[in-house]
Every structure is written in structure tokens, then in C-alpha cells.
Amino acid sequence: MQRNNMRSVVVHGVRPRKLMRELQFSNKLVSGEVNFSSTPWAKLRAAQQLLDSNSTYFIDALTKHHAYSQLVPSTSIFYVDSSYQGSDSGSNANTNLCSVDSDILRWCLKSPCIPVVSAMAQSSDGRVVHLEPFDAVASLVRSLQPRKVILLNQAGALINMTTGQKVSEVNSPGDNAALLGQPWCEGRLKEKLQRILDMLESLPENGSVTLTSPMTILRELFTHHGDGTIFQKRDRVIIHDNLDSVDTKRLRQLLCRSFNSELDADYFDKLKPKLSKMYLSESYNFAAIVTNEKGAEGVPYLDKFAVVEKNQGQGSSQALWDLLRRDFPMLFWRSYSGNRFNEWYYPRCCGLQSVSKWKVFWYGFTEYRLSQKIVQVAERLEESFTEKRPHVNEKQDLSRPSTWSAKPDGKGPKPTPGTDPEIVYQALEAI
């Protein structure tokens, strides 16, 4: 992460009950219950020494792998009210009692060093207090507003206790009610998930929270599908069969913004009689429009596929694509031959053909006669934008053959190595 200029802060801590067990195991504390808001000095000092020991372990490990880090005194960062009660309860009230002075962390983040912070705080009445780790992270998140928060646990993901399967993603707010209403989601797990969702709400629009393990963190960070559970903000997608409930003014703004061009004034009048389905996010940040075109022999046409810039890299395009694949066994679309976003289409189609200034893509069939039919239809369709797109390259795309086909399941060639379409695209064109 450091080599890739991904600035990060490491926050570590131990829940009070687990801290009790570790202190007992290390013979630093005799058995007995501890209220960490009023812990005698000797016991609290033992807890602080244990966390400091963990801090030096992290720093030594990072240094061994040529990552420079720095121990930052947590009592110079975290401050709590005198009424703070460190606990395992998951009470959101604890988080609200913890404040952060992030100046020293921001200074560290300007340097090559990774700040390492333990979950200890200074109280308003001058005491040193052990923080519940989630309280420390949540408070830091509110102050620093990072793009990504990674929570590590041994399971490496959220597990569906009924099926034993990993929950790969949670899209908030659409999935929240269903997730928290699951029969296996109760007690401390439910409280923890609610706190993660609350943390997600405090992040920027493109922020996310990931639950993974130390052993899989690299796959989570540097692969498209990751290896844990990602909690992300994503609008609920509403499917429309007509334009009656669609705000066409907002949809026009979405399309113009995504394609950097002006949409024809009569576009929606022409769309009405041939609309098959429209997939539109609640906040009008991404959309897919499918039509029925004359002469296409029943194969639906993907007329528009658009995602605004702030939703790029969040999986919105793949989510839309998954809905299209679910509802349409066959589909075809076209894109300018010089469109650099064609790289995103290649692995998702089972065939393509270059014709005039277009590349025509399709999936779901391999019949030659039908492919030629839909190519003819795509070629004669009118353009719906009046201005030339600034991100289109007029030169022919020579990186692919002019015609090829693959299996009807859409498993085409792989994209060019090093291209991450979820990050580099600005708008997916299906004009």
C-alpha cells in the first residue's frame, strides 16, 4: 500500500473482555472483572504495556518489509468524556463520547511513515482510558474521512450462519433491512453490523468499509472481486417498463454528464414506443436502457449504459451488468471503434464485428445469420447525441480483430493487462 502511495493509518486494540484474558495469560493481571473506566493504575498500566508491545510488533513487521512506520501516542489523539465506559456492548453512545485531534496523524500522512495507533485515550478528568477498538476507529473515520476502512477479523468476511457461505458485498441502504432481518443476524453480530453501517454513513460518497483477514488483505485491495465482505454505498436500482414514473429531466442530465455530450431533444419521444426495460438508480447516478429494435428478430438492444464519475470504481457498472444478464439471455449493443472503454466490453460479449465507425457486440447466441442481422440493425440506428464525444479516439482500434465470436455465455477474450475498467472508465457507451 505504501509503495502504491496509498496513505494509511493502522489502529489496533483489544476488546475489554479479550484484554482481560490476554493480561491473565501473560501473568500481568490476577483474575477478576475489570471496569476499564475506573481501572487501578497498575492494571491499566499493564494493559497499556500490552498494547504498546503490539504496536512495536507491528512496526518491526512493517520495517522488515521495507514499509516505514511510526508509533503515535494515542493519548495525544483520542479524548473521551469522563462518562465514557469502555465496553463490549457495542453501544453507539460510546462512539459519540470519543473525540479526535487528528493534526498529528495528518502530519504523519504527509510523510512516508505509516502511523500506528493503539486504542487508548485521555479522559476529560485527566485519566488514561482503554478504548473499545471500534470506538477508536469510528471516531478516527469521522475525523479523517478516508476513502476506505478495513476491519480485520479471523473469519475474513461476514459469514451467513445458515448457509456457511461468505457474504461478498452489502450495498447500503438497499440491503440493510434484509441483512439485519436475517434469522442468524442477532445479538452482538447484529450490533456490530449496525455499527459498521453507521460508520459507512459517515464516510464520503465513494467510501467503503471492508471486513477481511490479515491473510487475504492483499487480494481485497488489489483484485476486482476482493476476498472479504465489502460494505458500500450504492443506490437501489429501480426497473421501469415505461417512462411514466421516470424524471426525464434528471435522466437527461445523467446521460449528458456520463457521455460528455448533448442528448437529442426528441430522444425520449423516440424511446417511448420501443422501450423494453430501464434500470435506473434511485439517485439517478447510473442507468441502463434496453430497447426492442425493428429487424433484430427479438434480440434486445442495449441503447444506453451510463455511470456518473463519482460512482466509478464502486462496482455500479458490474451490478447493472449482472441485472442485464439476469433478465436478458441475449443482448446486442454498439460502440465507437475508437472508444477506449471497449476494453470493458470484450470479456463480457461472446461476439463482435466492426462495421463502418462502430463495433457491434453481442452475447447469448453464436448463429452467424442472426449476428449479421443484428449488425445491420445496429449500423442503421440513428445517433442520439448531437455533439462529438471528447473521450473518443477517431483512430481505429487495432488491438482486436474486426470479427470474432466466443461461447454464448459471454466468456470472451480477457481485457488488456493492467486495465482496470472499474477505475479508468468515465462512461460506458452503448449508443
Side-chain angles (χ1 to χ4, degrees), residues 239-292:
I239 302 177
H240 303 269
D241 296 322
N242 54 61
L243 297 177
D244 295 345
S245 58
V246 175
D247 186 336
T248 54
K249 182 178 180 180
R250 293 182 67 190
L251 180 56
R252 177 181 292 275
Q253 291 173 347
L254 162 63
L255 296 175
C256 292
R257 206 168 21 151
S258 299
F259 291 104
N260 295 315
S261 301
E262 190 63 35
L263 192 66
D264 289 345
D266 61 350
Y267 172 75
F268 292 114
D269 292 332
K270 294 179 179 179
L271 177 64
K272 282 182 180 179
K274 61 181 182 178
L275 177 63
S276 173
K277 284 185 185 295
M278 178 184 297
Y279 301 81
L280 185 59
S281 70
E282 277 188 308
S283 62
Y284 286 72
N285 284 327
F286 49 91
I289 301 174
V290 180
T291 61
N292 296 313

Side-chain angles (χ1 to χ4, degrees), residues 183-429:
W184 50 267
C185 183
E186 56 185 2
R188 286 187 58 194
L189 175 59
K190 187 171 185 176
E191 291 174 351
K192 181 177 181 180
L193 290 176
Q194 183 61 64
R195 299 190 74 190
I196 290 176
L197 294 173
D198 291 343
M199 179 189 290
L200 180 64
E201 278 301 305
S202 69
L203 289 173
E205 190 66 29
N206 62 348
S208 65
V209 179
T210 298
L211 189 61
T212 188
S213 74
M215 301 304 295
T216 59
I217 189 171
L218 290 180
R219 285 199 296 273
E220 181 61 42
L221 284 170
F222 298 111
T223 63
H224 177 62
H225 294 290
D227 201 82
T229 300
I230 182 170
F231 297 79
Q232 56 194 345
K233 297 179 183 180
R234 184 181 293 167
D235 295 334
R236 184 167 62 97
V237 177
I238 302 174
I239 302 177
H240 303 269
D241 296 322
N242 54 61
L243 297 177
D244 295 345
S245 58
V246 175
D247 186 336
T248 54
K249 182 178 180 180
R250 293 182 67 190
L251 180 56
R252 177 181 292 275
Q253 291 173 347
L254 162 63
L255 296 175
C256 292
R257 206 168 21 151
S258 299
F259 291 104
N260 295 315
S261 301
E262 190 63 35
L263 192 66
D264 289 345
D266 61 350
Y267 172 75
F268 292 114
D269 292 332
K270 294 179 179 179
L271 177 64
K272 282 182 180 179
K274 61 181 182 178
L275 177 63
S276 173
K277 284 185 185 295
M278 178 184 297
Y279 301 81
L280 185 59
S281 70
E282 277 188 308
S283 62
Y284 286 72
N285 284 327
F286 49 91
I289 301 174
V290 180
T291 61
N292 296 313
E293 301 293 341
K294 293 180 180 179
E297 299 193 8
V299 181
Y301 175 68
L302 179 59
D303 182 66
K304 293 288 181 290
F305 194 107
V307 181
V308 297
E309 186 174 1
K310 70 176 183 178
N311 280 72
Q312 296 169 15
Q314 298 183 38
S316 299
S317 59
Q318 188 59 49
L320 275 179
W321 192 258
D322 291 342
L323 291 173
L324 291 171
R325 289 304 303 256
R326 181 195 69 184
D327 295 343
F328 294 97
M330 297 188 296
L331 200 67
F332 76 105
W333 65 100
R334 74 182 185 184
S335 174
Y336 278 114
S337 294
N339 183 359
R340 66 175 182 266
F341 309 125
N342 289 337
E343 290 292 340
W344 197 84
Y345 292 136
Y346 292 137
R348 290 166 175 80
C349 71
C350 69
L352 75 86
Q353 182 171 328
S354 295
V355 53
S356 63
K357 61 182 178 181
W358 305 104
K359 281 189 182 292
V360 181
F361 301 84
W362 63 88
Y363 72 73
F365 59 91
T366 55
E367 183 184 349
Y368 177 76
R369 183 196 64 81
L370 183 56
S371 67
Q372 294 308 296
K373 195 72 175 177
I374 60 103
V375 167
Q376 293 172 9
V377 172
E379 184 181 15
R380 70 168 183 261
L381 288 174
E382 295 181 0
E383 295 189 49
S384 52
F385 289 97
T386 56
E387 294 181 5
K388 182 178 175 182
R389 293 152 191 75
H391 56 259
V392 171
N393 183 358
E394 289 297 329
K395 294 182 180 180
Q396 287 291 313
D397 180 3
L398 302 179
S399 63
R400 302 286 171 179
S402 59
T403 305
W404 59 262
S405 62
K407 298 178 181 179
D409 60 2
K411 293 181 179 178
K414 299 297 182 183
T416 302
T419 300
D420 185 348
E422 282 296 321
I423 294 175
V424 301
Y425 75 81
Q426 186 155 9
L428 298 175
E429 292 191 282

Side-chain angles (χ1 to χ4, degrees), residues 37-58:
S37 63
S38 58
T39 304
W41 170 251
K43 297 178 181 178
L44 184 58
R45 180 58 182 163
Q48 189 171 12
Q49 287 175 345
L50 178 63
L51 293 178
D52 288 345
S53 175
N54 290 341
S55 293
T56 57
Y57 173 82
F58 287 133

Side-chain angles (χ1 to χ4, degrees), residues 38-168:
S38 58
T39 304
W41 170 251
K43 297 178 181 178
L44 184 58
R45 180 58 182 163
Q48 189 171 12
Q49 287 175 345
L50 178 63
L51 293 178
D52 288 345
S53 175
N54 290 341
S55 293
T56 57
Y57 173 82
F58 287 133
I59 292 173
D60 288 343
L62 289 169
T63 303
K64 183 178 179 181
H65 291 84
H66 309 290
Y68 301 104
S69 56
Q70 181 173 344
L71 176 62
V72 179
S74 55
T75 51
S76 298
I77 298 173
F78 298 114
Y79 298 89
V80 295
D81 189 86
S82 58
S83 59
Y84 177 88
Q85 298 289 319
S87 71
D88 269 329
S89 66
S91 170
N92 288 323
N94 286 336
T95 305
N96 297 329
L97 294 172
C98 183
S99 61
V100 172
D101 182 351
S102 60
D103 289 347
I104 189 170
L105 288 178
R106 295 182 188 279
W107 175 79
C108 289
L109 291 172
K110 292 178 182 178
S111 70
C113 292
I114 301 171
V116 177
V117 186
S118 61
M120 300 290 286
Q122 183 179 156
S123 69
S124 58
D125 56 359
R127 293 178 297 115
V128 175
V129 179
H130 172 253
L131 284 177
E132 206 282 330
F134 202 98
D135 291 348
V137 174
S139 301
L140 205 56
V141 164
R142 287 200 308 271
S143 177
L144 293 179
Q145 290 289 284
R147 181 174 179 179
K148 193 175 189 68
V149 179
I150 301 174
L151 304 175
L152 302 180
N153 69 355
Q154 291 181 340
L158 173 63
I159 305 298
N160 184 322
M161 298 302 180
T162 302
T163 64
Q165 299 296 312
K166 176 183 70 175
V167 178
S168 59

